[in-house]
Structure formats: structure tokens, C-alpha cells
Amino acid sequence: MCGIVGYVGDRDAAPIIVDALVRLEYRGYDSAGVATIHEGKLYVAKDAGKLTEGGEPTELQRKLRSLPGKIGIGHTRWATHGDPNEVNAHPHVDCEERIAVVHNGIIENFMELREELESKGHRFVSDTDTEVVPHLIEEGMKEGKSFFEAFVEAVRKLEGSYAVAAICVDEPDVILAARKESPLVVGLGDGENFLASDIPAILPETNRVIPIDDGEIVVVRKEEVKILDANTLEDVTGSKEVQVVEEDPHKLERGGYPHFMLKEIHEQPEAVAKTLTLERERLFEMAEELVKGDYSRLCIVACGTSYHAGLGGKYATEMIARFPVDVQIASEFRYVTKNLVDEDTLVLAISQSGETADTLAAVREAKERGATTIALTNVVGSTITREVDHVIYTHAGFEKAVAATKTYTAQLAALYLLAVELGRHMGEITDSEAEEYLRELESVPEKLERILSWEMERELAVMGGRYKERPNWFFIGRGPGYPTAMEGALKLKEITYQHAEAYPAGELKHGPLALIEEGVPVVAVVQPGGVYEKMLANVEEVKARGATVISVADESDDIVEEHSDHVIRVPSITEEFSPIVYTVPLQVLAYYMSVARGIDPDYPRNLAKSVTVE
Ligand code: M6R
């Protein structure tokens, strides 16, 4: 939520900052701003609105680009305190307009800090929590402290979460920044240096980065970066590892696709194939270790789409390895379920970004209670990777669209590998059964390619256009079809703004059936297997009440057609792994419905890619 950027060097800062902000827009896009210093003067431009519309630069972007100066900071906002408007947009400044600050996070004690500063004569103009920071620095400097001393003192007064960066006209060659519970990385250049919330923002400029840890302060000059412990001010730069990021920056572009989401949907075969290949050995070892560790329970914690992947993993693990898995929404776990965790519990946290505040908090709670923790994430060097005992990566490449797609199928691939190996090590399946499962997994990328064929995409685009005005949708499934239904419903509501609910199909007659009437769309996930007949009966129930039934079914299924208005046919896959295949056409359907409704699927309203606040 919110992205921050900084640049200092010999080039014009504003265009570099704006380009990085555009790459960061997935973190928030309700307003944006830049501050630079040029010839002893602070320049600030900001406003509500996005930096790009339909791939083209907006007026706001042009305004921000034009600021002069070789040093600056920038911000793209996802509002927490105060409406998204010009005044609340970052950067925020002090009374004399000599200091500018950008911030990501929430300053919990801002009200008391603000009252104290107002009583000393500071004038506030915005409704934001951030505005206290430039005034705190100003107050310190009025008392005779240097910019650095005043910044350190200000940061020490903040409670809550922050990645914060500041510049000041009195010291026009330095950016000061600090981090607590919000991501921040430094990018190292030659005669220039960068700051950003996430690596992709600065990757086209440099691939040498240092992730900043909680409780650190960064001093960034064009020739030098210093990292200090915020409490002791000890210089810890030497102990920090410079990471060299191998990702191809060109992959961060839309590459001919109209939206990042469609590009990322099409990258799924590759994401799954890479995860299956590159993570296989590590998952095999991990399964062995887990079995040796003799844990009494596996608890998966996650949010949103990652939670749905966790559910997919649960079905596969319970069906293949017969090992009980408890899947918890991280924001619930962190306050309630945590009390059931002890040294015998294995906690697997799933987070594509590795920065989700609730998932990180759940990991910390679990560690405090002695649990062994594992992270499944897509982002190398993300906060979660530094906090857990073991890390498993998905190899999906950078995912920019707010709606998660390729990271979801890659998460499922990793969880399925783990399920198969657990089953083998626990003696629940034989070696040859395990090999059979692995062959099935290896066939998934090719199956996804078939789903993503032009003909299939066109069929789904037509369906999206046809049903785009239906305001209430139901998604139903049984067994592994249930997480598929949940993920299908989440994609639809997230990017089409139509109401969609997912239900285990057996629950329909316990209430939701009352809502089924003529023309209500019901998406039924009808994978072959143990619950197939039951699903058909549920499909019949809704059909008899006038629902428009869209079934997702096996390509060889010749029964489901009689019960459905439309059948989306997918390649055969064993029931245990069905979510990895059956979810994909539902992503495509949601995408085309979003476009047909005139929505930009990459930037759905009110949402942000990385949810770093509670
Ligand atoms: O980065 P994470 O996987 O921890 O994110 C969790 C959710 O915020 C995320 O999956 C969200 O639900 C997506 N926008 C869904 O498309």
C-alpha cells in the first residue's frame, strides 16, 4: 500500500522517480507526487489520480516529470488517512516548505504528535498521519539539530509502521530514510543511488539492491549509502548483503498485451513449469525433514488468493498424504488461532509478495509460540523470507496486476509437490503412485497452454461480454472444486465489481438457494472424481430454479452439458490437482468481463497489490 521512491545522482531526478512510480503503481494509485531540490529550493507537485491511463501518461505524470533537480523523492498513494485528493497526496512538507517527506504505512500516534506540534505553532493542511513527520523534523532543526539528528529523533517518536524518506533544502545532497514494518530497498548505481518500496521499481536502473530491515536508518548520497541501527546509530552497512537480482527488467513491461493481468495469465504455464523444476529438490528435502520432525499439525496461514491456494494445498495433502492441514486466514489466526500453536506445529505462511502485514504478524505470533515456520513466496528478499525458518519460492516472475493469477497457480504447484512427497515419505502412497502424481503435475503447463488457446479465450471473452451486467453471481464446488469456486468468485468481484459468492455446493440448501431465481449466474466447478455425481445434483437444483449455469468440466464430460447453459471444457487432470487447471478459465472470464465493463483490471478501485497495513 503506497509506494515510495528516491533518487540522487547526476541525472534529472523527476523522470527517474516518475518511471519508478509507474512501476510501483500496483501498490496504490489514488494519487501521486514528487518533491525535488534545485538551486536551494524545494519543488513539490502532487495530485489525486493515476500516472497512466490505458498505458498512456496522464497530465499528472507530465506535471511530476517536469520538476527540476538531481535529487528527489516520490510517492504513489493508497489512502488510509484522509481522502485521495491533492492536499492529502504525498510528499508532505513543513511550515517553511524546506523539508519534504513521503511515507508508506500508518503512524498510529499521529494525533497526539499533531496536537503537540500544533501547540508549538506548526500549521497542518492535510488529514494524513504522514504530515507530522516533516513538522517533527522542522521542530528538531529549529532546536538547533542537524537534518540527520532531527530525522532520527522524529523517527524514534513514531509508533506504527513506516517506510519513510525525507529531503531538506539545507542539505541538498542527501535522502534520509527509515523502515519499520513497511518494505524498503536501496538500489546501488554508479555515481547515483536509489530508494524504493520494491525492487521492480528500480530494476531497469540497477539490479544491485540492499533490502533494509526494521529499525534501520539509511543515508543515501550519490556516491555513498550508509545504513545505521536506528537505536544505537551504529553503522551496519558492512553487515548488509548486496543482492544481485537476475530478473529481466523487460519482463516488467506489458509486452504487447493490453493489460498486465492478461500477460500474467498467459505466463502461467511457464510459472508452473519453473516452480515444478526449480523447487522440486528443496520440497523433497523439506518433506523428508517434516516427516522426521514428527509435527502434530500443519497450519497454513495466508490472505486472499494465497489463502485459496492454501485450501487447494489442504485438499491435495489430505487426499494424497492423509495428513491433516488446517488453513487459516492470517488476520484471524493472529488474534485467535495463534493460541493453539506450539513447538509441535508447523506453520506454512503463503504470501506472493512476502510483505502482507497480517501474514507477517501471524508468522511472528507462531514463532513466539515455538512453532517451526516456512514461507511460500514469490519475492526473493521480501520481509517474510527473513523471518521464517525455511523458505520455498514460487518462480512466477514479478506479478504486477493487483489480481493474483500466475503466483496462485505457481503456489499450487509447490504445494502439490509437497503433498506428493509427504505422501511418499509417510508411506501413504507407493513410489510408483508418487511418480504417477509427478507425471501428472509435469503435464500441467501443457494443459494450461491449451486452456489459453485463442479459441478458448475468444469463447470466454464472448461470455464475459454477454453476462457483464448480471450483478449477483454464485460459484459452487465440492472437494478441491470448492477452492476453485472461491478463487473464481474473488477474481470476479475484485475486477468486475459484480457481487460474487462462493459456496461449497452442499451448503446451497442451507440458505443461499433462496437467492437463486431466473437468470442468476451460477458457475459450477464439476471436476470428475469422488464428488462428481453430487455436484451434478447441485447443478440440477439451481437449474430447476432458473439459474444460468456455467459449468467448468472435463473435456470428455458428455453429461454435464444437459444440465448447463454453457460448459467451459478443460483438459483432464486428477481431482486432487484440479484447482490448478480449473481456475484458469475463471481468471480469463473475470478479465474479459472487467474489460467489457470498462474497468481497468490492473488497477481495481480501493485495492492495492501489497497489503502492508493491517
Ligand atoms: O501478497 P499476498 O499473497 O500475501 O497477498 C494476499 C492478498 O492480498 C492477495 O492475494 C489478494 O487477495 C489479491 N489481490 C487477489 O487477487
Side-chain angles (χ1 to χ4, degrees), residues 303-306 350-354 356 359 402-404 490-491 494 611:
C303 304
T305 290
S306 295
I350 309 179
S351 172
Q352 81 78 23
S353 62
T356 300
T359 311
V402 166
L490 178 62
K491 287 288 92 89
E494 187 174 25
V611 186

Side-chain angles (χ1 to χ4, degrees), residues 256-572:
Y257 286 92
H259 297 100
F260 281 102
M261 184 178 172
L262 190 60
K263 173 178 175 254
E264 288 158 7
I265 286 173
H266 279 269
E267 285 171 346
Q268 292 184 100
E270 189 188 346
V272 168
K274 274 191 165 172
T275 304
L276 289 174
T277 317
L278 299 175
E279 224 49 26
R280 189 162 168 162
E281 211 165 299
R282 195 201 304 264
L283 281 161
F284 285 10
E285 283 163 16
M286 192 166 285
E288 204 175 345
E289 230 178 86
L290 299 186
V291 173
K292 277 195 218 138
D294 208 17
Y295 295 99
S296 60
R297 51 199 291 253
L298 169 61
C299 183
I300 295 182
V301 290
C303 304
T305 290
S306 295
Y307 169 72
H308 299 156
L311 282 177
K314 170 189 166 77
Y315 278 100
T317 311
E318 293 184 347
M319 289 167 93
I320 297 168
R322 298 190 201 292
F323 189 77
V325 182
D326 184 20
V327 190
Q328 294 282 330
I329 290 178
S331 55
E332 292 297 310
F333 175 94
R334 66 183 287 191
Y335 294 112
V336 184
T337 326
K338 63 179 188 186
N339 298 320
L340 302 177
V341 164
D342 56 23
E343 306 80 42
D344 290 337
T345 318
L346 185 66
V347 171
L348 170 58
I350 309 179
S351 172
Q352 81 78 23
S353 62
E355 302 292 349
T356 300
D358 284 320
T359 311
L360 286 170
V363 164
R364 289 172 191 142
E365 291 288 353
K367 275 180 83 175
E368 229 168 75
R369 284 163 177 75
T372 302
T373 52
I374 307 177
L376 173 55
T377 184
N378 196 45
V379 181
V380 178
S382 56
T383 304
I384 208 165
T385 62
R386 303 203 293 280
E387 302 217 359
V388 291
D389 301 307
H390 308 276
V391 184
I392 310 167
Y393 286 107
T394 47
H395 297 266
F398 176 59
E399 186 178 71
K400 181 159 180 175
V402 166
T405 53
K406 60 177 176 170
T407 52
Y408 171 72
T409 38
Q411 285 166 349
L412 285 174
L415 293 167
Y416 292 162
L417 275 178
L418 189 61
V420 173
E421 281 315 303
L422 271 179
R424 191 204 303 253
H425 285 291
M426 293 174 73
E428 292 294 338
I429 52 172
T430 61
D431 278 351
S432 74
E433 282 167 331
E435 292 311 317
E436 185 56 34
Y437 275 123
L438 293 176
R439 269 196 297 281
E440 184 75 331
L441 278 181
E442 275 157 19
S443 74
V444 168
E446 185 268 329
K447 287 176 176 155
L448 299 188
E449 295 282 8
R450 278 165 56 201
I451 296 176
L452 295 169
S453 68
W454 187 77
E455 292 79 10
M456 179 93 163
E457 202 170 315
R458 189 183 51 182
E459 186 187 321
L460 292 164
V462 169
M463 205 182 282
R466 179 162 174 188
Y467 293 121
K468 67 179 180 173
E469 300 303 344
R470 304 275 173 107
N472 283 305
W473 289 67
F474 286 86
F475 285 68
I476 56 173
R478 283 176 180 257
Y482 175 47
T484 303
M486 291 181 83
E487 181 55 11
L490 178 62
K491 287 288 92 89
L492 196 95
K493 60 188 132 192
E494 187 174 25
I495 58 169
T496 72
Y497 312 157
Q498 300 294 44
H499 175 239
E501 271 192 72
Y503 267 94
E507 275 289 293
L508 279 177
K509 49 177 96 59
H510 298 286
L513 202 54
L515 294 169
I516 305 296
E517 56 185 359
E518 200 58 38
V520 170
V522 176
V523 176
V525 184
V526 201
Q527 78 279 2
V531 291
Y532 176 77
E533 300 292 341
K534 298 281 175 204
M535 263 311 292
L536 279 188
N538 295 128
V539 166
E540 227 6 83
E541 265 167 21
V542 293
K543 188 83 201 107
R545 285 158 180 88
T548 302
V549 176
I550 301 171
S551 295
V552 191
D554 189 277
E555 58 192 358
S556 64
D557 188 327
D558 49 14
I559 303 173
V560 74
E561 209 155 59
E562 291 164 33
H563 308 263
S564 318
D565 296 273
H566 302 277
V567 182
I568 302 172
R569 298 191 175 279
V570 296
S572 301

